[in-house]
Amino acid sequence: MKNTIYFTTAILLAAFFSACNGNLLETIPTDRISTEIYWETEKDATYAANSVYRYLDGITIVDYDGLTDILHSNIPFYDNGTIERGDYNSNTPKIYDQWVYLYKGIRAANNFLENVDKVTTTNTTLINSLKSEMRVIRAYLYVRLVMLWGDVPLVTKTIANISVGQSVTRNTTAEIWTFIGSELDACASILPLNQTEKGRITKGAALALKARVLLYQNKWLESANAAKSVMDLNKYSLYPKYEDLFSTVGENNVEIILDKQFIKDIYSNNAFQYLGPYSQKNANCNFVPTKRMIDSYTMSNGKSISDPTSGFDKDNPYENRDPRLKFSVFVKGSKLPDSKIYDPTPGSKTLDEVGSTYLATVLGFNIKKYVNSDDLSNISNCGINIILIRYAEILLTYAEGKIESDQIDQSVYDAINSIRQGRNDVKLPTIVSGLSKAELRTIVRNERMVELAFEGLRLFDLRRWKTAETEIPGFVEGMTYKNTSGAYVTIKLDGFLKIFDASKHYLWPIPKKEIDLNSNLKQNTGW
Amino acid sequence: MKKNDPKQRHRGRPALRKMLKIMKLTTLLFFIALFQVSAKSYSQETKLSLKFENETLENVFSKIEANSEFSIFYKNDLIKNSKEVTGEFKDALIINILDEVLKSENLTYNIKDKLIMIVPKDVNGININSQQQKSVSGKVTDQTGASVPGASVVIKGTTTGVITDNSGNYSLSNIPENAILQFSFVGMKMVEIATEGKITINVKLEDETIGVEEVVVVGYGTQKKVSSTSPVSQLKGDEMARRPVTNAQQSLQGLAPGVTIVDNGGSPGRSAATIRVRGITTLSGNNDPLVLVDGIEQRIDDINPSDIDNVSILKDAASTAIYGSRAANGVVLVTTKRGKKDQISINYSGYVAMQEANNNPKHMGLEDYMRYQNLAYTNVGMLPLYAEETIQTWVTSTDRIKYPLPNVWFDKVYKKAPQFDHNLSISGGGEKIQGRASIRWQEQNGIVSSVFNKINEARVNLDFNPYSKLKISADLNYRQNYSRNGSTTFTLWHYLYHGSQWAVPRYPDGTYGISKQGHSPLLYNDMAGSDKLNRGMLVANLKFDLEILPHLKFNTQYSLRNDNNVQKIFNNSFQVYDYTDKSKLLKNVDKNTLNENRDVINEITLTSLLNYERIIEKNEFKFLAGYSEISNKQNYLSGYREYFYNNDIQSISMGSDNNKNITGYDSEWGLKSYFGRINYIYNEKYIFETNSRWDGSSRFTGSNVYAFFPSVSGAWRISKEGFWNKSNKLFNELKLRASWGKSGNQAIPLYEFYPALISAPYTFSDKLAQGYLQENMSNADLTWETTTQTNIGFDSQLFKQKVTLSFDWYKKITDGILLSLPIPGVIGLNAPKQNAGVIENKGVELMIGYRGKSKQLSWDISGNVAYNKNEVISLEGTGPYITTSSVDPMTIRAEGLPIDSNWGYLVDGFFQTAEEVAGYPTLFANTKPGDTKYVDRNKDGKITPDDMTNLGNSFPNYTFGLTSTLKYKNFDFFWQWQGAADVAVRLSGALSEMGNQEGFTHEIYTNNVWTVDNPNSRFPRPTKFSLNNVQSSEMLIYDGSYLRLKTLQLGYNVPATFLAKTFVKSARFTLSATNLLTFSKLNEWNLDPEFPSGRAAYYPQTTIYSIGFNFQF
């Protein structure tokens, strides 16, 4: 009898405990959203589109210039230094990371385009605008891919399974340019001229990107026409203060055509920390301007400093120069965000002193664009928007397109001169008409380099001009200063030789990891 | 600045506090002992005055209880027919009263302290208490006739007893008639002898033969070791707690074959030791064995080593299959100590230890370093950094404030650190209740002052036997582990080696010096902040054992585990001013930040078992059927704020309102399992066993939820065969074993099958724009990894059971490995886990033990060797997968190679001439004579990653251990050797950079680098800011094999004669040292051999010296 009681109790006990957890094996996560329940409302569409904007370039856009003659990677053991030295290969992590990042953005855009029509809404204007915004972002990312690698797989639908991903092939550059062109044309006709929310892609952005894309293809006249269509929108103009273009007060100004938007605390960047001088809270100064960059700024009279009549004063090398020099670069005597005076001269005993540590600038210059004193309090939490396309570029694209297509007329001079004179704080002598194509080419190229310095365009300009092998190689040089015995010394990094091998360096290698997974991907020549 | 200096705040205090704590504990112990002594005399001293008139015995007993502190126990049946009692007592002793009231009954009594037990008289009608008590004496000897000193002789059922003297003699008085004496000695079988009126009893104790009657713990039960069909390594808690370890896994090192513990240092409370049973079976996820403490899954770090009774390590599939999907990496079963009947004992054990760092790399000498740097600069065409006169001034100067040495951090930052451990336990019980309670207090100072660890824990294990057929066990374990580390942004370990050259550690006025790169490990240690982690763990366990029918038992266990981790990571703000110019701010970290994390895990385990055991003549059957459920819920919350008023105001609400952040998540998983086992033994000779488990896991979906894990095994005890005993004198026992089975691995992140969106906001017009994004690819087809293992081996005992020998061969194949195979980047999502790939582990294990004994001396030696060969058999045609950084350790996962083999270039010495450079492909354009000559393996005229090759295992192929105990009279001596072989380690960072990036420059480079005059140097030419010679190559690979004297211990047991008059039953003192002596190629780098590949930027292993105490009361 007793046994029966025990037995029954035990069975009941066991049954009780087992019954507690009927759904034990069907756990539902609460920390993420299922794709199955998504794509129902208009809100879902907007939110999905918002996240794709994250794939636009941020402050690391400077890296592209960092791989050219105008900047030097101050942290030599990072991949940027390796690429600068020409020592990179298909295993270099940066190459792979960049590849993956771009395709992640493309996938996000594709995913949006495939799913957005599931949303029930009557607001077709919104949906159509969002679709076009995504297509422009996708095109923007493809421009990067083509310019970095040449032929790349053109993925316009999400790849659902791995085996499909392992069999894609490289489309020709021409195919991709065509795709980008038709996409931008289509979107430009749909997108509104003005978006309520600043930072959204507009008609102007699509047209401006188209101008850039055509320039990259050396389709000179077409690019000039595209640039003209942006000019004709009568929406954009040069911002009166070059000095403020890259500061918080200059955000969303009339010159900005496309930017990546940031806001402190919520979606911030680390621009100050990334670029700022070491003395400013141990900022990292990832890249520092080279002598080549500094020397490209003319005297305020418009003459090159190498011109004996320019009035260049070796003892005050940064005085009476193109004002954009001091707006873009910290040079000896510049006021730092913390109100101290920048002095990197060896022996100055400041934290920025060249040679005092490998963390401070090794060349005696630091980038000033995007390094704002209002971010000094927290240098890794910056809200500054990063400009991706601005009107000055359009003017220069117009000029270059016209020059190269032999359609040199007054509008070319006007475009260039408006950049040299069109602002309150940049007043350089006008370029007087009557110059040859070659002379104008030199001027417009130098103007691009100076006006758009550190904005991520130089690498691609050198690639399309095919001048990288003459511009890039050589020992890295920095500031010239008077040493204790009164002699002028120019800093030269003898141990750091920039290398550009024209036989292969015009394109990056396809990442080895990617080829390992997909034998259809053939490596670029030379790698 | 002084305000923030932790050193100043606590100066001189800790020692005093510790002293007080020790004193308090001692006092407590004293009172407990005193209490016990006084309790014994209660029955002899208490006098009662009582009067009874025709009262039932029941009333009599109630009156006694009412008038005294006695409690009287009896069964109602005994007194229901008793006669009524009349009598009067004045100031009578209890025994007088009881003798009188029970004189006409067939009853007698037992008095124990204040408890009186009424029991029937035995058949002869003799009342044991009223009879005259006798003395017995005699001698205890062993098999060889040698006397056994220190053996204990105890009257069964009491705590009365003595310990034999140096000649093995004993004498015990006041022994009741018909008492049974128990003779016991460590390592020998206990003998029970009834006194039966004898005056002299001599006893011969036999060695406890290992294995024959030994019981081992296996999955959901126990087995006699002789009838086990699996290679189970069982370790006694006492063996493990021998050296002063902070956690249980360290104490397993070297003791069991096939169990590899790699102690990668790790700061106290955050141990980085890993356990691997028979190699690495999976590429991603978890290679840790399943650890169950009394049936509850736990971290092995969370067990008090002193609470451990034994540890079983299940290695082959026959023994692990019953744990199904969690058992692929082996199973570690920990059983804690429990109270025993009739043996109340109080035990104190503790130690005081001193720790010292094991990684103390030596920096190049001052002059050597300066000249070396000049060489590096000139080698790359730059001007020498130091002029000759600077060098002279610097070297000859005695002013190290003005002319500091290049790197003195190890001396300044590392210090000897004390460690204290106290364990107090009480155990014992009666018929119905047995219990054991223990508390532990441990405090461990780090070898750097920013590190500290403290453990407080308590465990109560109770067993109730309300009815003969029911046993209920209730256990409770609570543990608090507080550990503090230094700043997480400025990690001291990194800056000991990197970016810290040429700083004065501290100036005379206390100002910190910082290096030109702006760093100081000492500053970071003292001022940069702290990472405080409070791990709380509460385990409650209730277990019912019920005998439903004869041979049929039901058992159900319900347990709860709560992990409650609170972490505060506070990174300080601080400023460093120049020593000479106090207005000059050299380093300004103006933002202090707090990350506060809460991690709460609740796990409920329910296990029910049905056991049937039957012996029918020569057939022994055992059946087990079981059901188990695990439900695990986790809640994580993390908050961030910055800009606190100062570094001491560390409450999260006191941070700035700007840039604050809170994140967190909830997650849960469940496991539902059915399992069973059948054992059949015929005639103690032929043994058959099968185990299986059907496991369901919430980590998978659809038809993959459930999986089946079977196993079969058998053994043949040849030595039991008739033909064996007569013909073979060598083997006393020989058993052949074989097993085959499957186990699984489900340790993958949750919800991998679930395509999901995560929050990914953007911003427009300076306003938040919410966004959602899919980042990870999902894989609905995900299923279990399955490990199939075959094991063949034997257990034997030789030479009159003096030698034990076991051998095993195994082959383990893991299929469908859950792997984050890289997927094409063009897909645009992060790779999901996939079931891809096959890994094989093959190996042998050998264990040999010897036990010897002469008159005064006994010794035993036990050695084990294991070999495990790991190979990635298949990655489904993909791969190889190579980690991409070339300056940090590179490893490869490729078919045909061991998992994570070191990868890099082969090296053919150094280029000697410019012609040689011109005539051979180079990796770098600016290669010069003296640079490393990387080998063009594929001879394609280029050095590319295709020229890289396997540079050796990152996990040892051989592991071995040797322990030996020697006992002489009251002394014992223990040592343990332990080691590993066939493993490669890779140096990186400052250790390998040769001063290139202003890092720590090891003295090994002194006069040992390539120059024109020294072309046969060991190292290439030094350079500045170039990576030419630090590419992943065999240059930077070192043989990580080692042999070390892990533990050395001398013990002394205070002779029983000394203790006879005290309340102390036994006392033992030990002196020990851990990691005392090491043979390793890494000695020349002053690195510990268990150094993990990399930059050595971690809390190092330590050498520990300790004094231990153990008292029993």
Side-chain angles (χ1 to χ4, degrees), chain B residues 427-670:
Chain B
S427 79
E431 264 322 297
K432 298 276 183 192
I433 303 172
Q434 302 97 44
R436 179 179 184 275
S438 71
I439 54 170
R440 179 202 199 194
W441 172 74
Q442 189 192 71
E443 198 173 292
Q444 187 180 9
N445 288 270
I447 51 144
V448 297
S449 63
S450 55
V451 172
F452 176 77
N453 187 49
K454 193 168 75 176
I455 298 171
N456 289 297
E457 61 189 322
R459 173 180 280 276
V460 179
N461 288 0
L462 291 175
D463 297 298
F464 303 90
N465 306 89
Y467 309 105
S468 63
K469 291 182 174 164
L470 180 64
K471 180 178 157 193
I472 299 169
S473 305
D475 303 346
L476 203 61
N477 181 201
Y478 182 59
R479 173 187 170 96
Q480 277 188 335
N481 185 353
Y482 167 82
S483 63
R484 187 188 68 218
N485 274 356
S487 164
T488 54
T489 45
F490 296 106
T491 50
L492 150 71
W493 310 109
H494 177 78
Y495 292 106
L496 277 171
Y497 296 90
H498 302 98
S500 300
Q501 300 291 84
W502 296 118
V504 174
R506 277 190 100 166
Y507 289 97
D509 68 349
T511 306
Y512 288 90
I514 58 173
S515 69
K516 283 194 161 185
Q517 299 82 28
H519 301 296
S520 157
L522 183 65
L523 167 77
Y524 295 157
N525 177 60
D526 294 354
M527 310 225 316
S530 59
D531 165 6
K532 291 175 280 195
L533 174 64
N534 240 312
R535 297 178 62 98
M537 184 189 73
L538 179 65
V539 179
N541 183 17
L542 198 61
K543 194 171 155 188
F544 302 84
D545 283 289
L546 172 68
E547 192 175 326
I548 301 171
L549 295 165
H551 313 298
L552 183 66
K553 283 185 185 144
F554 177 75
N555 164 319
T556 193
Q557 180 180 0
Y558 182 73
S559 42
L560 312 166
R561 196 193 76 224
N562 169 261
D563 296 324
N564 198 334
N565 302 329
V566 177
Q567 187 172 30
K568 279 184 107 139
I569 301 171
F570 197 95
N571 286 310
N572 289 348
S573 60
F574 56 92
Q575 285 77 33
V576 179
Y577 291 90
D578 189 40
Y579 173 60
T580 46
D581 175 6
K582 288 283 187 297
S583 66
K584 190 172 162 191
L585 187 56
L586 291 181
K587 189 170 183 80
N588 182 13
V589 177
D590 72 339
K591 177 168 74 173
N592 47 17
T593 65
L594 171 64
N595 274 293
E596 189 158 343
N597 310 321
R598 301 288 155 101
D599 192 5
V600 180
I601 299 174
N602 279 301
E603 186 167 294
I604 300 176
T605 309
L606 170 78
T607 309
S608 296
L609 307 174
L610 207 54
N611 260 300
Y612 182 79
E613 278 187 53
R614 192 80 196 260
I615 301 175
I616 304 169
E617 294 181 340
K618 288 179 174 178
N619 303 286
E620 199 178 326
F621 298 97
K622 271 171 142 184
F623 297 98
L624 167 76
Y627 169 75
S628 158
E629 262 185 27
I630 299 175
S631 145
N632 181 299
K633 289 188 178 155
Q634 182 177 15
N635 171 255
Y636 180 81
L637 183 68
S638 173
Y640 171 85
R641 283 210 193 189
E642 58 192 24
Y643 288 106
F644 288 76
Y645 175 72
N646 68 26
N647 294 331
D648 298 323
I649 307 291
Q650 297 198 351
S651 282
I652 191 126
S653 61
M654 298 306 285
S656 153
D657 274 329
N658 293 327
N659 201 28
K660 55 187 180 185
N661 189 18
I662 296 180
T663 58
Y665 61 84
D666 283 295
S667 71
E668 55 182 299
W669 58 264

Side-chain angles (χ1 to χ4, degrees), chain B residues 10 12-22 441 443 452:
Chain B
H10 301 303
R13 291 277 169 197
L16 182 62
R17 276 206 323 260
K18 262 155 224 161
M19 188 78 166
L20 283 170
K21 275 186 187 166
I22 296 168
W441 172 74
E443 198 173 292
F452 176 77

Side-chain angles (χ1 to χ4, degrees), chain B residues 675-692:
Chain B
F675 50 88
R677 173 165 54 218
I678 301 169
N679 297 75
Y680 172 69
I681 303 171
Y682 176 72
N683 202 12
E684 298 185 311
K685 277 192 294 205
Y686 310 108
I687 306 160
F688 169 80
E689 183 177 320
T690 173
N691 288 280
S692 50

Side-chain angles (χ1 to χ4, degrees), chain B residues 796-827:
Chain B
S796 64
Q797 295 189 9
L798 300 88
F799 306 110
K800 296 183 179 165
Q801 298 169 334
K802 280 205 169 102
V803 174
T804 53
L805 180 71
S806 306
F807 172 85
D808 280 283
W809 169 91
Y810 62 87
K811 184 171 165 180
K812 237 171 138 175
I813 292 183
T814 310
D815 284 300
I817 287 175
L818 300 172
L819 190 59
S820 290
L821 285 185
I823 61 170
V826 292
I827 292 177

Side-chain angles (χ1 to χ4, degrees), chain A residues 33 54 104 198 281 377 514, chain B residues 590 643 757 761 765 825 830:
Chain A
I33 297 166
R54 294 162 70 97
K104 279 185 175 176
K198 299 280 183 213
K281 293 205 176 163
S377 62
E514 197 72 3
Chain B
D590 72 339
Y643 288 106
L757 306 175
S765 308
N830 296 327

